[in-house]
């Protein structure tokens, strides 16, 4: 059905920052026949995935699984907790923070959007200090929630969520903390309970290595309480009924059964590898990627080394180079998909995904494709980037080796 | 992963009225690797499925495909067209009509629920005359929409949608007509444009033979116009942006890629068989099923022969028999799932699904499983039901034969 | 790719006596990527399947697995043990016994073919007494092997292998005992060691529920010894090198990797269900099938009740009815494949397979298809056969229930 | 089921010279349910694959497809044409030529094995001149066949089959020409008819991109004639009956159905890409691989540039380096399988496969894995090999681009 126009053989390299490549093991799990979502087998499946997903969010509280893609889970977070006209404080880290802010407006909320000047916000993480300052001003507690993106997929910048919690607490402000870690979950360390997050939003098609189609709200007791007395008009997204039926492993309406098969398998894979090793693997591949970018003499979109994303790396193009033309050339000549620059940085950067079911050789193939493509596109490169990436990967033991040695 | 506790061999018979059994051909199509939802291959896929799905709804107008299950599409229909506090006229045909009405309330609308007395509504189709009468009373046009269920999955009763349109027109009322054909689409004839429906809601896991996870709104120009000037707070469900991006085969947010592979395959299968033959096949299997029920001497839930559903048949139990105990016995002894009685008829009936990828021998197996289970449960049967079902199926040429002869 | 011409929906019923329907679970296992057949993963796979397959043959001695279909394993058995011109004593039970005898001639051996008069041999099992008598005559031990078919797939007759061993021993004859249980293995009880079989031949596509493509020789120490000093010119079939390399889980030449994945899964399935329950399940379904045939008033091909096959049932047509025309009608009208009459009984009978991944409702579907097809073909039936089959299956607890009660 | 011990994420790189990686498209095709091998669907499948496979061998004459792996097809070629004690002239190009010669001995033939002195034969192609000289000496035509390996998988040396035919003709010798192109078919150009080959032997798990399990004999009229009057004792391998039944798309015994589904898909893929483009793609990737080896300053096993294999490249280790230790390190650290040195070159070289469903980035990943592994193993490298490979691949348009430009 689907064909590549330019390549007639071999595997396509899907190196966008999500959807990430779905492992065969998960595709096979998803091809199990659909079952009765009211029968005993389904209940066992439901209890398994509901139990497992909490370990990934590091929460003892409910995680609501929606048969809807990630954008839906954004809406769910807002519509369960905010009342019409409520003010939400958001922070501009890139395109996805911008879209969430736009959604808040669509839903009739009043988003306030903190930003660094110019495009700087798209190269730096959330500034907890700015949030704290703003909350201190809000003595009448007009602001009902602080919403930040943990791993900004459009830029490759990862923010310090715990610092945001500390900022809220330092300001003595009762606002809820809502975090989007759609692309961060199961790639970068994430601690819903420990960091005091009230609602965490995530999706299936990134670190969980599934196709898109299910999404999540991890919900603190405080958020749950807020949802009981408030919220926007909503029914599909309503937490209460879902959480009640989840006690026995069922959902009030038809769940996305085959994706739940995939989730069950993904949980097995991730917990077998162990979360800490999953995170270390992402960090190591990301560092190799950045060494390649530096080898080429190109600039990394994230300007703050403490905020480098383990999930993806944004590569800025020299002035005058159209990043989308480079991506197109690489797609056509080397059978690889890269992420485009979005919004404010459209055409000025591309994004290399190194998340999910990735390993050393896959990353090096991706870097080789970039290197050849950049050269063919006439981008002047200082030196090979693949070579320093190889040097780094050869010099550092992989997570599997680390684990074996532990 | 999933195991049947009681049967260690052979195929499970999934005879619930949806999710219906997913053909291997579709499961295989869904196992194609996830691709970049912003790349050229995806655009081609998007245009294909958006073009094909219109043929199934019989509409020349937009069909919005959501990466969410069917309940979401109910919410989408209401939230795009109704304003807070609007009155919607609904008709109680069974559990799903009841749930949609409950959702309208959750969303802050004022649902008015027309019903036949007692449980009679659960055995009869929508009464267009009652709708016409109510609309005639509403001279100030407080009612903004009439909402009905085309094929009531909880009872096996199919309503005449064209008659509802005629009733609205006869009353000269401007209300929108919204129809749920989640379980009817691609099983029973459905004509969105010809019948003057404004929003048709459907889902993937019934006649389309897919797993659950995508759902639909077919949208008339009048409904689209209504959405521009009204609607509830909404973002994920918002039609306008989706329809705009669909022009090139894309979606504003991450679509459910692998289910769209499945949809592409399902459209091929259905259009190859031809819709009329798909409908005739469902009618024939449904008639065979009813002959079995009559053979047993049991009562069919649908009391109006003109409204017998081609999708499922509700079988009423004699007084004192717990239908759920019968279903459990059949599940444990004969590896078959049947639909439970829901809501008002819980425990008083079970439902046999004969929709989607079904054929003669599969239906006869299901009927045999029912017949053995009923006997084992002590339900007195007048005679074999399998025998008259076989007689009917042998005597009538199947749709394939009809098609060959055409 | 493959399409049924006459049916556009639903599952095809493959009710031939092999290849039997391959469970989804096995098809999924077979879709694991092909690995290096010299790497460590493969060694682990090899050791697992070599260990497991012995349990199925009930032998502590080597089982050679060939990357070739069952006919190859017949040739392997003969070519490893017989020398050019050797006499082998075979017994005519049907088409497969005849083909094996024909192969012996092709290989330059001298097959002696014992038969009952007329077509009677095709309705009765191996007559151990005839074998004993012949061996007693052979005082100079010209006969080097006795070869019999355990479950004759062309007729549905199962022979008593232990009785053949007793006959050989009673005659005090040193001939090897070679048995074809291609269609019997993992359906009917089989005891390679206890019954004193020297070479047992089997294949993948019957009770093991795999696609065709691998086959087996279970080899006694006596047969192995014979192979060292004799045998026909051979290389691919040569046991010694295979058995040597199997010690570490490898093969001297490229094995059929993906079918070995399937075998690994099949062994898990069979041993989880437990062999005795697998056998009981086959016996029960076979009895239900025979009750249907008797209900129709038709004759079972096997004339000896002690030799009824648990694998398949041969159904004889009344004089003047072309069994192949009946099969064709059933294939076209009801989407089911039945086995043809072969050789001497071509056109005079058809065969219903009830082996491998079969269960009650699948069998009843098959019987319903036969019943409708027979009627449409004008075969006069005494009564419904499905009804007594249902009565029997409802009255007897299935193997799973038996197991639960144990 | 199968797990890698050392890597917990990402795709395994299978870079052995066969089995080559099976494309998902073929794995999906192989998961179609097994069908009746005597039914009408199967006949259509059989005719399709029998028609298509001739195009790959470039022959108008029969190609026999065996449900057995490649070694079986070697035996089939010899056993159908040679009589006991016949002399066959073979040429030592490496391990597989040696194994075929050993098989000839096992089968009771008299193989004469021409070789270059020392290990030189393992670095050079077949020397047609030596064959011609030997045949000229054989004035009494004792030699019945000349047997050569087209692409020697153990060394990466491809021989000139047309030159062997010319040598035979120049000597005026009636010997049959038999060629093993198990690893060459569908990778390197091959012309059964034009080159006057009498029997070509091939297998499924190399250029055809299938799992192992089916194999081929392409048969000239002269070879077919020889088989009628001669041959060794044989039955399974016997051409005549197979060719006769193939007329209608069937086989005399159970074929390897699911692998034939895969073959059907593979033929579609190869013929869509077009054979010439398949060959050019292999040549280009092979050249890139050799540039990497030269970049490292290592020696290529094939010493004759005219005979470089497009299928695989043998990389010789400096004295004192154990090639198997290097392979093991690469397997453990970088999740890649490479081919071992076999027979005379065990431990002295490893083999990189670049055949079948391979593309630029996959090859570069493999080269990067080699480069890192060689360094970690302490092998002194002159420079990066990946860099010149990238330079070459960037500088040359791929086959797809060539095709588009044509």
């Amino acid at each position: 059905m689907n064909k590549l126009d330019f390549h007639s053989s071999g595997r396509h390299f899907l190196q966008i920052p999500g959807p990430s490549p779905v492992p065969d093991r998960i595709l096979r799990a998803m091809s199990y026949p659909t079952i009765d979502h009211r029968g005993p087998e389904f209940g066992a499946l439901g209890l398994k995935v509901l139990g497992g997903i909490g370990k990934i969010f590091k929460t003892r509280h409910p995680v609501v699984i929606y048969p809807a893609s990630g954008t839906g889970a954004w809406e769910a977070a807002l519509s369960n907790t905010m009342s019409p006209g409520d003010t939400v404080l958001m922070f501009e880290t890139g395109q996805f923070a911008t879209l969430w802010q736009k959604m808040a407006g669509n839903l009739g909320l009043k988003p306030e959007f903190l930003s660094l000047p110019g495009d700087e916000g798209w190269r730096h993480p959330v500034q907890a200090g700015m949030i704290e300052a703003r909350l201190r001003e809000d003595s009448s507690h007009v602001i009902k929630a602080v919403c930040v993106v943990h791993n900004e997929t459009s830029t490759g910048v990862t923010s310090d969520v715990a610092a945001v919690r500390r900022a809220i607490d330092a300001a003595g402000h009762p606002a809820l903390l809502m975090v989007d870690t759609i692309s961060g979950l199961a790639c970068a360390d994430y601690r819903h309970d420990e960091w005091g997050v009230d609602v965490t939003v995530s999706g299936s098609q990134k670190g969980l290595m599934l196709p898109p189609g299910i999404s999540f709200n991890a919900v603190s007791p405080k958020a749950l309480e807020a949802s009981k007395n408030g919220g926007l008009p909503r029914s599909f997204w309503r937490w209460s009924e879902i959480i009640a039926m989840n006690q026995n492993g069922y959902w009030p309406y038809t769940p996305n059964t085959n994706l739940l098969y995939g989730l069950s398998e993904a949980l097995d894979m991730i917990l077998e590898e162990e979360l800490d090793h999953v995170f270390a693997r992402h960090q190591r591949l990301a560092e190799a990627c950045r060494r390649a970018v530096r080898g080429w003499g190109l600039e990394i979109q994230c300007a703050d080394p403490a905020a480098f994303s383990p999930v993806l790396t944004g590569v800025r193009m020299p002035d005058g180079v159209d990043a989308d033309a480079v991506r197109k050339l690489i797609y056509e000549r080397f059978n690889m998909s890269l992420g485009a620059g979005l919004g404010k940085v459209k055409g000025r950067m591309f994004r290399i995904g190194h998340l999910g079911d990735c390993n050393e050789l896959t990353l090096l193939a991706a870097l080789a494709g970039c290197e050849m493509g950049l050269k063919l596109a006439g981008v002047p490169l200082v030196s090979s980037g693949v070579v320093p990436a190889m040097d780094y990967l050869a010099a550092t033991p992989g997570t599997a080796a680390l684990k074996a040695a532990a």
Side-chain angles (χ1 to χ4, degrees), chain A residues 87-354:
Chain A
T87 296
V88 291
L89 183 66
M90 301 175 117
F91 198 96
E92 182 181 1
T93 42
Q95 179 71 359
F96 290 94
T98 305
L99 290 173
W100 199 11
Q101 173 261 359
K102 190 177 153 201
M103 170 183 271
N106 279 342
L107 292 174
L109 304 177
K110 290 192 196 121
E112 216 185 289
F113 209 29
L114 295 179
S115 305
L116 285 174
D119 294 357
E120 280 310 287
W122 288 51
R123 304 192 66 186
H124 291 87
V126 171
Q127 305 294 307
M130 290 172 66
I131 290 175
E132 183 178 338
R134 179 65 190 88
L135 292 178
R136 285 187 189 276
E137 291 169 17
D138 180 40
S139 53
S140 56
H141 297 168
V142 167
I143 293 168
K144 299 301 180 199
V146 174
C147 300
V148 296
V149 173
H150 174 226
N151 184 74
E152 175 60 64
T153 319
S154 64
T155 60
V157 178
T158 306
S159 290
D160 182 348
V161 172
V164 178
R165 164 48 64 199
R166 286 193 301 267
I168 298 171
D169 291 349
H173 198 286
L176 293 172
L177 171 58
M178 300 209 253
V179 179
D180 161 357
T181 188
I182 288 179
S183 63
L185 192 77
C187 300
D189 192 11
Y190 191 84
R191 308 178 182 201
H192 180 80
D193 286 1
E194 184 183 326
W195 295 346
V197 183
D198 291 303
V199 188
T200 301
V201 172
S202 196
S204 58
Q205 73 273 21
K206 312 277 185 171
L208 292 177
M209 307 176 291
L210 299 168
I214 54 176
S215 53
F216 309 94
N217 274 185
V219 180
S220 76
K222 183 176 171 189
L224 198 55
E225 193 57 33
S227 79
K228 287 181 183 154
N229 308 309
L232 302 173
R234 70 200 184 280
S235 180
F236 185 76
W237 308 119
R238 196 175 282 261
W239 290 336
S240 51
E241 211 177 339
I242 299 173
I243 291 173
M245 289 205 61
N246 279 180
Q247 299 308 313
N248 298 314
Y250 298 95
W251 270 259
Y253 43 76
T254 314
N256 204 329
T257 306
N258 291 53
L259 270 167
L260 295 181
Y261 297 153
L263 176 59
S264 170
E265 196 73 13
L267 292 171
D268 285 348
M269 291 172 75
I270 290 170
L271 297 175
E272 280 165 17
E273 184 177 355
E274 297 180 23
L275 273 174
D276 285 349
H277 292 290
V278 171
F279 303 149
R281 172 164 57 81
H282 279 81
Q283 291 289 6
R284 179 167 167 260
L285 295 178
E287 175 61 27
C289 184
R290 291 190 296 267
R291 292 191 180 213
V293 179
R294 289 189 204 110
W296 296 327
L298 297 174
E299 217 175 335
I300 293 167
Q301 175 66 19
C302 178
D304 179 350
F308 283 147
S309 170
V311 177
L312 75 144
T313 300
V315 183
R316 291 170 65 91
M317 290 297 97
D319 285 346
V321 174
D322 176 3
D324 289 338
V326 176
R327 285 195 318 113
K328 182 169 189 291
L329 186 153
I330 290 171
Y331 177 80
E332 294 178 0
R333 283 291 300 270
F334 301 113
N335 206 0
M336 173 163 63
S337 293
L338 295 168
L342 299 172
K344 289 186 178 176
V345 292
K346 180 165 168 43
R348 290 164 51 197
M349 61 166 283
F350 63 75
R351 296 172 294 149
I352 304 172
H354 32 71

Side-chain angles (χ1 to χ4, degrees), chain A residues 2 45 60 190 210 231 244 253 263 268 270 375 379 399 402:
Chain A
N2 287 281
L45 170 70
R60 289 169 306 111
Y190 191 84
L210 299 168
Y253 43 76
L263 176 59
D268 285 348
I270 290 170
K375 277 190 181 177
V379 179
T399 52
L402 278 174

